[in-house]
Amino acid sequence: MLPPEPHRTERIGWLRAAVLGANDGIISTASLMVGVAAASSSRRDIVVAGVAGLVAGALSMAAGEYVSVSSQADTEQAELDRERAELATDPGFELEELTNIYVGRGLRRELAEQVAAELTAKDALGAHIRDELGLSDVLSARPVQAALASAASFAVGAALPLAASVFAPSSASLTIVVASLVSLFGLGALSAGIGGAPPIYAAVRVTFWGALAMATTAAVGWMFRVAV
Ligand SMILES: [Zn+2]
């Protein structure tokens, strides 16, 4: 058998998830700290906000990912069980169903019947899962791994503005904003480049949204400093 042709889309799945998680971590934690910095000049307040933002965000990403991947796995399992039951109770109907799918994809009736019969003889459930349900990687969803991976990528992203706030020479907010925007631009360009897309648009897009988020929370923080 020939080795499978390598495709960029396979790599993009996890890489994209990791980059998106890191982007989230940078944008939300930096915005949180810039908002607090606009309201209070205490370095300690800013750092506490950053640490709380990192922990809260990572846990929220983990919970969201766990719930979403689990429910996807439940749905796939239910479809699998139903298909297995249908194959056991009405194999004739299922063979006809498979044949019609191949006819629909352009095979002659006679050839479709032959293909359906041979695939059914080899692995009936596998053929129905693939061609009827359209699931390629059956039960590949791993909720715990997915939750840990997205929490970790968020935390790595969030650690960046947090480190900037700790090591900032004087103005914490300026250092946070510059470090965050530069990292967002770099991450955007990197992920687009690896995916084979033009890097500049992706980089500008994510940097724009990051800047908008930080400007908004800074405005909110500033209103508190003025009003309270
Ligand atoms: Zn079926």
Side-chain angles (χ1 to χ4, degrees), residues 83 86 94 97 128 132:
E83 202 58 40
E86 283 172 2
E94 290 295 312
E97 185 182 49
H128 282 263
E132 185 190 343

Side-chain angles (χ1 to χ4, degrees), residues 9 18 28 31 111 113 119 135 138 145 148 157 169 171 183 204 225:
T9 44
S28 72
S31 303
L111 182 59
E113 277 168 9
L119 289 178
L135 302 176
V138 177
Q145 277 94 325
L148 290 177
S171 164
S183 320
V204 169
R225 168 171 286 196

Side-chain angles (χ1 to χ4, degrees), residues 194-210:
I194 292 172
I200 193 78
Y201 298 116
V204 169
R205 233 168 12 220
V206 68
T207 309
F208 167 79
W209 283 104

